[in-house]
Protein backbone atom coordinates (compact mmCIF):
# COMPACT_ATOMS: atom_id res chain seq x y z
CA UNK A 1 0.00 0.00 0.00
CA UNK A 2 1.30 3.48 -0.80
CA UNK A 3 2.12 5.70 2.18
CA UNK A 4 -0.25 8.53 2.91
CA UNK A 5 -2.57 9.90 5.52
CA UNK A 6 -6.20 8.93 5.87
CA UNK A 7 -8.74 11.46 4.62
CA UNK A 8 -9.74 12.16 8.23
CA UNK A 9 -6.07 12.83 9.20
CA UNK A 10 -5.62 14.98 6.11
CA UNK A 11 -8.71 17.03 6.96
CA UNK A 12 -7.63 17.42 10.61
CA UNK A 13 -4.12 18.57 9.66
CA UNK A 14 -5.37 21.00 7.02
CA UNK A 15 -8.01 22.37 9.38
CA UNK A 16 -5.32 23.02 11.98
CA UNK A 17 -3.25 24.87 9.37
CA UNK A 18 -6.31 26.90 8.40
CA UNK A 19 -6.66 28.07 11.98
CA UNK A 20 -8.40 25.42 14.06
CA UNK A 21 -7.13 27.15 17.16
CA UNK A 22 -9.38 30.07 16.29
CA UNK A 23 -12.36 27.74 16.32
CA UNK A 24 -11.25 26.24 19.65
CA UNK A 25 -11.31 29.70 21.17
CA UNK A 26 -15.08 29.89 20.61
CA UNK A 27 -16.69 29.95 17.24
CA UNK A 28 -18.30 33.20 16.01
CA UNK A 29 -19.01 31.80 12.53
CA UNK A 30 -22.01 29.99 11.07
CA UNK A 31 -24.21 31.86 13.48
CA UNK A 32 -27.92 31.39 12.66
CA UNK A 33 -28.80 35.06 12.34
CA UNK A 34 -32.55 34.45 12.03
CA UNK A 35 -32.42 32.44 15.27
CA UNK A 36 -30.36 35.15 17.00
CA UNK A 37 -32.97 37.75 16.03
CA UNK A 38 -35.78 35.47 17.16
CA UNK A 39 -34.14 34.80 20.55
CA UNK A 40 -33.46 38.50 21.07
CA UNK A 41 -37.08 39.39 20.21
CA UNK A 42 -38.35 36.78 22.69
CA UNK A 43 -36.43 38.62 25.40
CA UNK A 44 -37.83 41.96 24.23
CA UNK A 45 -34.50 43.01 22.74
CA UNK A 46 -33.38 43.68 19.20
CA UNK A 47 -30.50 42.32 17.22
CA UNK A 48 -29.15 44.34 14.32
CA UNK A 49 -26.90 42.67 11.78
CA UNK A 50 -23.98 44.45 10.13
CA UNK A 51 -22.91 41.19 8.52
CA UNK A 52 -25.33 41.10 5.61
CA UNK A 53 -24.82 42.80 2.29
CA UNK A 54 -28.44 43.79 1.88
CA UNK A 55 -27.29 47.30 0.99
CA UNK A 56 -30.61 48.72 -0.13
CA UNK A 57 -32.95 46.80 2.19
CA UNK A 58 -34.47 44.84 -0.69
CA UNK A 59 -33.98 41.27 0.55
CA UNK A 60 -37.00 41.46 2.83
CA UNK A 61 -39.03 43.95 0.78
CA UNK A 62 -42.73 43.03 0.52
CA UNK A 63 -42.86 43.41 -3.31
CA UNK A 64 -39.80 41.19 -3.69
CA UNK A 65 -41.39 38.48 -1.55
CA UNK A 66 -44.66 38.78 -3.49
CA UNK A 67 -42.80 38.37 -6.79
CA UNK A 68 -41.13 35.23 -5.42
CA UNK A 69 -44.47 33.78 -4.29
CA UNK A 70 -46.09 34.50 -7.66
CA UNK A 71 -43.17 32.84 -9.47
CA UNK A 72 -43.41 29.73 -7.29
CA UNK A 73 -47.05 29.46 -8.29
CA UNK A 74 -46.46 29.82 -12.02
CA UNK A 75 -43.07 28.17 -12.53
CA UNK A 76 -42.19 26.05 -9.49
CA UNK A 77 -38.97 26.37 -7.55
CA UNK A 78 -36.20 25.25 -9.89
CA UNK A 79 -35.42 25.68 -13.61
CA UNK A 80 -35.07 21.90 -13.88
CA UNK A 81 -32.51 21.96 -16.64
CA UNK A 82 -29.75 23.87 -18.35
CA UNK A 83 -31.41 26.80 -20.10
CA UNK A 84 -30.10 25.61 -23.43
CA UNK A 85 -32.19 22.48 -23.20
CA UNK A 86 -35.36 22.90 -21.16
CA UNK A 87 -34.44 25.24 -18.33
CA UNK A 88 -35.35 28.52 -20.06
CA UNK A 89 -38.14 30.49 -18.34
CA UNK A 90 -39.70 33.85 -19.16
CA UNK A 91 -38.24 35.37 -15.96
CA UNK A 92 -34.66 34.76 -17.16
CA UNK A 93 -34.89 36.94 -20.24
CA UNK A 94 -36.86 39.62 -18.39
CA UNK A 95 -34.22 39.86 -15.66
CA UNK A 96 -31.32 39.89 -18.13
CA UNK A 97 -32.89 42.58 -20.30
CA UNK A 98 -33.60 44.61 -17.15
CA UNK A 99 -30.03 44.30 -15.84
CA UNK A 100 -28.46 45.13 -19.22
CA UNK A 101 -30.66 48.20 -19.67
CA UNK A 102 -30.10 49.45 -16.12
CA UNK A 103 -26.34 49.03 -16.39
CA UNK A 104 -26.04 50.51 -19.89
CA UNK A 105 -24.85 47.35 -21.64
CA UNK A 106 -26.21 45.63 -24.72
CA UNK A 107 -26.82 42.24 -23.16
CA UNK A 108 -26.56 40.17 -20.00
CA UNK A 109 -26.36 36.50 -19.02
CA UNK A 110 -27.16 35.14 -15.57
CA UNK A 111 -25.49 32.20 -13.82
CA UNK A 112 -26.26 30.48 -10.54
CA UNK A 113 -23.63 32.41 -8.58
CA UNK A 114 -21.36 35.42 -8.81
CA UNK A 115 -18.45 33.17 -7.93
CA UNK A 116 -19.20 30.96 -10.91
CA UNK A 117 -19.56 33.99 -13.18
CA UNK A 118 -16.00 35.19 -12.48
CA UNK A 119 -14.43 31.76 -12.45
CA UNK A 120 -16.17 30.57 -15.56
CA UNK A 121 -15.88 33.71 -17.71
CA UNK A 122 -12.16 34.25 -17.03
CA UNK A 123 -11.20 30.63 -17.59
CA UNK A 124 -13.31 30.51 -20.75
CA UNK A 125 -11.86 33.65 -22.30
CA UNK A 126 -8.19 33.30 -21.64
CA UNK A 127 -5.80 30.68 -23.01
CA UNK A 128 -2.17 29.85 -23.74
CA UNK A 129 -0.16 32.95 -24.84
CA UNK A 130 -2.73 35.26 -23.22
CA UNK A 131 -2.08 37.54 -20.28
CA UNK A 132 -4.23 38.32 -17.24
CA UNK A 133 -3.24 41.24 -15.03
CA UNK A 134 -5.31 41.51 -11.87
CA UNK A 135 -5.39 43.54 -8.68
CA UNK A 136 -3.67 41.67 -5.84
CA UNK A 137 -6.78 42.05 -3.63
CA UNK A 138 -9.03 40.37 -6.19
CA UNK A 139 -11.72 38.04 -4.93
CA UNK A 140 -11.02 34.31 -4.74
CA UNK A 141 -13.38 33.64 -7.69
CA UNK A 142 -11.14 35.77 -9.94
CA UNK A 143 -8.05 33.88 -8.79
CA UNK A 144 -9.87 30.60 -9.37
CA UNK A 145 -10.61 31.75 -12.94
CA UNK A 146 -6.96 32.68 -13.47
CA UNK A 147 -5.77 29.35 -12.08
CA UNK A 148 -8.04 27.42 -14.43
CA UNK A 149 -6.41 28.83 -17.60
CA UNK A 150 -3.07 28.33 -19.32
CA UNK A 151 -2.72 32.13 -19.57
CA UNK A 152 0.01 33.94 -17.63
CA UNK A 153 -1.55 35.68 -14.63
CA UNK A 154 0.25 38.59 -12.95
CA UNK A 155 -0.97 40.51 -9.90
CA UNK A 156 -0.38 44.25 -9.60
CA UNK A 157 -0.17 46.01 -6.23
CA UNK A 158 -3.61 46.87 -4.88
CA UNK A 159 -5.03 49.94 -6.64
CA UNK A 160 -1.53 50.95 -7.75
CA UNK A 161 -1.95 51.92 -11.39
CA UNK A 162 1.72 52.74 -11.81
CA UNK A 163 2.34 49.08 -11.01
CA UNK A 164 -0.37 48.05 -13.51
CA UNK A 165 1.35 50.20 -16.15
CA UNK A 166 4.70 48.60 -15.34
CA UNK A 167 3.19 45.12 -15.72
CA UNK A 168 1.70 46.13 -19.08
CA UNK A 169 4.96 47.67 -20.29
CA UNK A 170 6.89 44.55 -19.37
CA UNK A 171 4.48 41.90 -20.60
CA UNK A 172 1.86 43.19 -23.03
CA UNK A 173 3.97 43.00 -26.19
CA UNK A 174 4.72 39.31 -25.66
CA UNK A 175 1.11 38.23 -25.25
CA UNK A 176 -1.78 37.70 -27.62
CA UNK A 177 -4.96 38.81 -25.78
CA UNK A 178 -4.76 40.63 -22.47
CA UNK A 179 -7.41 40.89 -19.75
CA UNK A 180 -7.17 43.38 -16.90
CA UNK A 181 -9.32 42.56 -13.88
CA UNK A 182 -10.34 44.93 -11.09
CA UNK A 183 -13.23 45.21 -8.66
CA UNK A 184 -15.69 48.09 -8.52
CA UNK A 185 -15.62 48.23 -4.72
CA UNK A 186 -13.12 46.03 -2.92
CA UNK A 187 -14.89 43.58 -0.67
CA UNK A 188 -12.48 43.59 2.27
CA UNK A 189 -11.20 47.17 2.19
CA UNK A 190 -14.09 49.18 0.77
CA UNK A 191 -12.01 51.24 -1.66
CA UNK A 192 -12.44 51.73 -5.41
CA UNK A 193 -10.15 51.79 -8.45
CA UNK A 194 -9.44 54.86 -10.59
CA UNK A 195 -11.51 53.84 -13.62
CA UNK A 196 -10.70 56.85 -15.85
CA UNK A 197 -6.97 56.13 -15.51
CA UNK A 198 -7.57 52.42 -16.23
CA UNK A 199 -9.46 53.43 -19.37
CA UNK A 200 -6.50 55.59 -20.48
CA UNK A 201 -4.24 52.55 -20.04
CA UNK A 202 -6.75 50.44 -21.99
CA UNK A 203 -6.54 52.83 -24.96
CA UNK A 204 -2.74 52.78 -24.80
CA UNK A 205 -2.13 49.06 -24.33
CA UNK A 206 -5.19 47.47 -25.92
CA UNK A 207 -6.61 45.07 -23.33
CA UNK A 208 -10.05 43.78 -22.41
CA UNK A 209 -11.36 45.13 -19.13
CA UNK A 210 -13.33 43.03 -16.65
CA UNK A 211 -14.77 44.82 -13.64
CA UNK A 212 -16.29 42.76 -10.84
CA UNK A 213 -19.10 45.02 -9.61
CA UNK A 214 -20.32 42.55 -6.96
CA UNK A 215 -20.27 45.28 -4.29
CA UNK A 216 -20.49 48.46 -6.40
CA UNK A 217 -23.71 47.62 -8.28
CA UNK A 218 -26.55 49.42 -6.48
CA UNK A 219 -24.02 51.27 -4.33
CA UNK A 220 -21.83 53.59 -6.42
CA UNK A 221 -23.11 56.43 -8.59
CA UNK A 222 -26.13 58.62 -7.93
CA UNK A 223 -28.59 55.91 -8.97
CA UNK A 224 -26.56 52.79 -8.12
CA UNK A 225 -25.37 52.04 -11.64
CA UNK A 226 -21.89 51.36 -10.33
CA UNK A 227 -18.34 52.38 -11.06
CA UNK A 228 -18.99 53.94 -14.51
CA UNK A 229 -21.74 56.13 -13.11
CA UNK A 230 -19.50 57.12 -10.18
CA UNK A 231 -16.85 58.43 -12.61
CA UNK A 232 -19.23 59.54 -15.38
CA UNK A 233 -17.67 57.24 -17.99
CA UNK A 234 -19.42 55.21 -20.70
CA UNK A 235 -20.42 51.84 -19.16
CA UNK A 236 -19.63 50.05 -22.42
CA UNK A 237 -15.95 50.89 -21.94
CA UNK A 238 -16.05 47.99 -19.47
CA UNK A 239 -15.96 44.97 -21.78
CA UNK A 240 -17.17 42.53 -19.16
CA UNK A 241 -19.13 43.68 -16.16
CA UNK A 242 -19.52 40.86 -13.66
CA UNK A 243 -22.19 41.25 -11.03
CA UNK A 244 -24.06 39.29 -8.45
CA UNK A 245 -27.70 39.10 -7.42
CA UNK A 246 -26.67 38.21 -3.88
CA UNK A 247 -25.80 41.67 -2.60
CA UNK A 248 -27.85 44.69 -3.64
CA UNK A 249 -30.68 42.56 -5.05
CA UNK A 250 -30.82 40.41 -1.91
CA UNK A 251 -31.09 37.09 -3.76
CA UNK A 252 -28.51 34.65 -5.12
CA UNK A 253 -26.88 34.27 -8.54
CA UNK A 254 -24.40 36.03 -10.80
CA UNK A 255 -24.36 37.75 -14.16
CA UNK A 256 -22.13 39.07 -16.88
CA UNK A 257 -22.98 42.14 -18.99
CA UNK A 258 -21.23 42.61 -22.32
CA UNK A 259 -21.95 43.34 -25.98
CA UNK A 260 -24.69 41.43 -27.78
CA UNK A 261 -22.19 39.37 -29.77
CA UNK A 262 -20.14 38.36 -26.73
CA UNK A 263 -23.19 37.33 -24.70
CA UNK A 264 -24.61 35.37 -27.65
CA UNK A 265 -21.31 33.47 -27.89
CA UNK A 266 -21.21 32.83 -24.11
CA UNK A 267 -24.80 31.51 -24.16
CA UNK A 268 -23.70 28.58 -26.30
CA UNK A 269 -20.20 27.98 -24.95
CA UNK A 270 -19.65 29.18 -21.36
CA UNK A 271 -19.29 25.94 -19.40
CA UNK A 272 -20.54 27.40 -16.09
CA UNK A 273 -23.73 28.37 -17.94
CA UNK A 274 -24.23 25.57 -20.45
CA UNK A 275 -23.41 22.72 -18.08
CA UNK A 276 -25.24 24.10 -15.06
CA UNK A 277 -28.89 24.52 -14.20
CA UNK A 278 -30.63 27.80 -15.10
CA UNK A 279 -31.20 30.30 -12.35
CA UNK A 280 -34.24 29.42 -10.24
CA UNK A 281 -37.25 31.27 -11.75
CA UNK A 282 -38.19 32.32 -8.21
CA UNK A 283 -34.84 34.01 -7.80
CA UNK A 284 -35.03 35.56 -11.28
CA UNK A 285 -38.47 37.02 -10.59
CA UNK A 286 -37.56 38.34 -7.14
CA UNK A 287 -34.26 39.82 -8.39
CA UNK A 288 -36.18 41.61 -11.16
CA UNK A 289 -38.65 42.98 -8.61
CA UNK A 290 -35.70 44.23 -6.51
CA UNK A 291 -34.11 45.81 -9.60
CA UNK A 292 -37.36 47.64 -10.36
CA UNK A 293 -37.41 49.07 -6.82
CA UNK A 294 -33.78 50.14 -7.15
CA UNK A 295 -34.62 51.94 -10.39
CA UNK A 296 -37.76 53.58 -9.00
CA UNK A 297 -36.25 54.60 -5.64
CA UNK A 298 -32.75 56.04 -6.08
CA UNK A 299 -33.23 57.66 -2.67
CA UNK A 300 -32.27 54.27 -1.21
CA UNK A 301 -28.83 54.66 -2.81
CA UNK A 302 -28.54 58.17 -1.36
CA UNK A 303 -29.52 56.93 2.13
CA UNK A 304 -26.97 54.13 1.89
CA UNK A 305 -24.28 56.65 0.99
CA UNK A 306 -25.34 58.89 3.89
CA UNK A 307 -25.24 56.01 6.40
CA UNK A 308 -21.90 54.79 5.06
CA UNK A 309 -20.34 58.26 5.31
CA UNK A 310 -21.77 58.68 8.79
CA UNK A 311 -20.29 55.36 9.98
CA UNK A 312 -16.91 56.10 8.41
CA UNK A 313 -16.73 59.60 9.91
CA UNK A 314 -17.72 58.44 13.42
CA UNK A 315 -15.30 55.51 13.29
CA UNK A 316 -12.40 57.75 12.21
CA UNK A 317 -13.26 60.29 14.93
CA UNK A 318 -13.27 57.45 17.49
CA UNK A 319 -9.73 56.52 16.40
CA UNK A 320 -10.77 53.24 14.79
CA UNK A 321 -8.76 52.02 11.84
CA UNK A 322 -11.02 51.92 8.78
CA UNK A 323 -8.00 51.80 6.47
CA UNK A 324 -8.58 53.21 3.00
CA UNK A 325 -12.36 52.76 2.98
CA UNK A 326 -14.16 55.05 0.56
CA UNK A 327 -17.23 55.22 2.81
CA UNK A 328 -19.51 53.23 0.52
CA UNK A 329 -21.33 50.26 2.04
CA UNK A 330 -18.25 48.13 2.87
CA UNK A 331 -16.30 49.47 5.83
CA UNK A 332 -13.67 47.43 7.65
CA UNK A 333 -12.47 48.15 11.16
CA UNK A 334 -8.99 46.69 11.31
CA UNK A 335 -7.51 45.31 14.53
CA UNK A 336 -3.92 44.62 15.47
CA UNK A 337 -4.39 40.98 16.44
CA UNK A 338 -6.71 38.06 16.60
CA UNK A 339 -7.52 38.42 20.28
CA UNK A 340 -8.77 41.98 19.92
CA UNK A 341 -10.87 41.33 16.80
CA UNK A 342 -12.53 38.29 18.39
CA UNK A 343 -13.15 40.19 21.63
CA UNK A 344 -14.59 43.20 19.80
CA UNK A 345 -17.02 41.03 17.87
CA UNK A 346 -18.14 39.37 21.12
CA UNK A 347 -18.60 42.77 22.75
CA UNK A 348 -20.78 43.89 19.84
CA UNK A 349 -22.93 40.80 20.12
CA UNK A 350 -23.59 41.47 23.79
CA UNK A 351 -24.62 45.00 22.81
CA UNK A 352 -27.13 43.57 20.28
CA UNK A 353 -25.08 43.85 17.06
CA UNK A 354 -23.94 40.95 14.93
CA UNK A 355 -20.68 41.59 13.07
CA UNK A 356 -18.38 38.56 12.93
CA UNK A 357 -14.59 38.84 12.77
CA UNK A 358 -12.72 38.19 9.54
CA UNK A 359 -9.40 36.58 10.25
CA UNK A 360 -7.19 34.39 8.07
CA UNK A 361 -9.69 34.10 5.20
CA UNK A 362 -9.36 36.70 2.44
CA UNK A 363 -7.36 39.20 4.50
CA UNK A 364 -3.69 39.42 5.55
CA UNK A 365 -3.03 37.53 8.80
CA UNK A 366 -1.71 40.69 10.46
CA UNK A 367 -4.80 42.74 9.60
CA UNK A 368 -7.84 40.90 10.96
CA UNK A 369 -10.97 42.98 10.83
CA UNK A 370 -14.63 43.33 11.40
CA UNK A 371 -16.18 44.18 8.07
CA UNK A 372 -19.30 46.28 8.45
CA UNK A 373 -21.84 46.06 5.66
CA UNK A 374 -23.98 49.18 5.84
CA UNK A 375 -27.59 49.24 4.71
CA UNK A 376 -29.86 52.16 3.84
CA UNK A 377 -32.19 50.65 6.46
CA UNK A 378 -29.73 50.97 9.35
CA UNK A 379 -30.81 53.53 11.92
CA UNK A 380 -28.37 56.33 12.73
CA UNK A 381 -28.70 55.52 16.45
CA UNK A 382 -27.50 51.95 15.81
CA UNK A 383 -24.49 53.24 13.91
CA UNK A 384 -23.67 55.55 16.83
CA UNK A 385 -24.05 52.68 19.32
CA UNK A 386 -21.91 50.25 17.31
CA UNK A 387 -19.04 52.71 17.06
CA UNK A 388 -19.44 53.53 20.76
CA UNK A 389 -19.38 49.82 21.67
CA UNK A 390 -16.14 49.36 19.73
CA UNK A 391 -14.59 52.37 21.40
CA UNK A 392 -15.69 51.13 24.86
CA UNK A 393 -14.23 47.72 24.13
CA UNK A 394 -10.88 49.19 23.18
CA UNK A 395 -10.81 51.45 26.23
CA UNK A 396 -11.79 48.60 28.57
CA UNK A 397 -9.01 46.50 27.05
CA UNK A 398 -6.53 48.95 28.60
CA UNK A 399 -4.04 51.36 27.23
CA UNK A 400 -2.01 48.90 25.28
CA UNK A 401 -4.93 47.69 23.17
CA UNK A 402 -6.18 51.23 22.49
CA UNK A 403 -2.64 52.36 21.73
CA UNK A 404 -2.10 49.48 19.33
CA UNK A 405 -5.28 50.25 17.40
CA UNK A 406 -4.41 53.95 17.22
CA UNK A 407 -0.88 53.11 16.14
CA UNK A 408 -2.17 51.10 13.22
CA UNK A 409 -4.76 53.79 12.43
CA UNK A 410 -1.94 56.28 12.06
CA UNK A 411 -0.09 54.12 9.51
C1 LIG B 1 -15.88 40.77 -5.09
C2 LIG B 1 -16.74 39.55 -5.13
N1 LIG B 1 -16.90 38.93 -6.29
C3 LIG B 1 -17.66 37.82 -6.40
C4 LIG B 1 -18.31 37.30 -5.30
C5 LIG B 1 -19.14 36.06 -5.44
O1 LIG B 1 -20.48 36.36 -5.50
P1 LIG B 1 -21.61 35.34 -5.02
O2 LIG B 1 -21.69 35.43 -3.55
O3 LIG B 1 -22.83 35.83 -5.71
O4 LIG B 1 -21.22 33.99 -5.47
C6 LIG B 1 -18.18 37.92 -4.07
C7 LIG B 1 -18.87 37.37 -2.89
O5 LIG B 1 -18.89 37.83 -1.82
C8 LIG B 1 -17.37 39.08 -3.98
O6 LIG B 1 -17.20 39.71 -2.81
Amino acid sequence: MKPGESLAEHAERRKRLAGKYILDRGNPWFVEVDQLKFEAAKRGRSLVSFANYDYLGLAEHASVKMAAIAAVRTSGVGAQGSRLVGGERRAHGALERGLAKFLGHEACLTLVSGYLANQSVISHLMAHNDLIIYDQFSHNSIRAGNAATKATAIAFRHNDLADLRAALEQNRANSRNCLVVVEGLYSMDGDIPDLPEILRLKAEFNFWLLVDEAHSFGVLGGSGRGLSEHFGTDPREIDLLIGTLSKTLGACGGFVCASEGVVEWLKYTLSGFVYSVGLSPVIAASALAALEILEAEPQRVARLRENSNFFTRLAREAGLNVGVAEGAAVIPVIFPDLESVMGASEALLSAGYYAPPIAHVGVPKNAPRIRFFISCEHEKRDIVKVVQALQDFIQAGGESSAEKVKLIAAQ
Side-chain angles (χ1 to χ4, degrees), residues 126-134 146 149-154 171:
M126 306 310 283
H128 189 55
N129 288 335
D130 289 342
L131 173 67
I132 304 168
I133 310 184
Y134 64 101
N146 297 346
T149 74
K150 291 204 166 68
T152 302
I154 298 171
N171 302 284

Side-chain angles (χ1 to χ4, degrees), residues 164-376:
L164 170 59
R165 166 177 281 282
L168 285 161
E169 278 168 353
Q170 269 174 33
N171 302 284
R172 180 65 189 103
N174 309 321
S175 61
R176 191 180 48 169
N177 298 319
C178 174
L179 180 73
V180 168
V181 184
V182 295
E183 291 181 19
L185 175 64
Y186 283 86
S187 60
M188 290 295 174
D189 292 82
D191 55 343
I192 65 175
D194 179 350
L195 181 62
E197 178 57 20
I198 293 174
L199 294 178
R200 277 191 283 278
L201 291 172
K202 183 173 185 257
E204 188 178 339
F205 289 93
N206 180 30
F207 54 77
W208 304 333
L209 177 62
L210 184 154
V211 181
D212 177 353
E213 299 236 32
H215 294 273
S216 44
F217 163 51
V219 170
L220 293 183
S223 58
R225 285 175 164 82
L227 196 62
S228 303
E229 189 184 18
H230 177 85
F231 284 109
T233 57
D234 181 346
R236 286 163 307 176
E237 295 260 33
I238 295 175
D239 300 286
L240 297 148
L241 185 161
I242 300 281
T244 168
L245 310 177
S246 64
K247 286 146 183 99
T248 284
L249 300 185
C252 174
F255 62 87
V256 48
C257 285
S259 68
E260 191 85 55
V262 168
V263 168
E264 198 57 19
W265 167 58
L266 294 178
K267 266 170 90 168
Y268 289 92
T269 57
L270 184 65
S271 52
F273 176 78
V274 171
Y275 299 100
S276 188
V277 69
L279 198 65
S280 154
V282 178
I283 293 292
S286 49
L288 179 59
L291 179 65
E292 283 166 358
I293 300 168
L294 159 59
E295 199 160 6
E297 299 177 15
Q299 61 272 24
R300 287 177 182 269
V301 181
R303 264 188 2 244
L304 170 65
R305 172 56 79 145
E306 199 182 299
N307 276 352
S308 306
N309 283 339
F310 185 59
F311 184 105
T312 313
R313 184 170 57 77
L314 285 194
R316 287 209 165 106
E317 280 168 12
L320 304 174
N321 177 15
V322 296
V324 289
E326 166 83 8
V330 179
I331 302 158
V333 173
I334 302 166
F335 286 82
D337 51 45
L338 204 58
E339 276 307 308
S340 51
V341 77
M342 302 280 275
S345 174
E346 283 158 14
L348 290 183
L349 196 54
S350 0
Y353 299 105
Y354 180 57
I358 309 224
H360 284 221
V361 177
V363 295
K365 284 199 171 65
N366 62 358
R369 62 200 64 189
I370 297 179
R371 177 181 49 171
F372 290 86
F373 288 129
I374 308 299
S375 167
C376 72

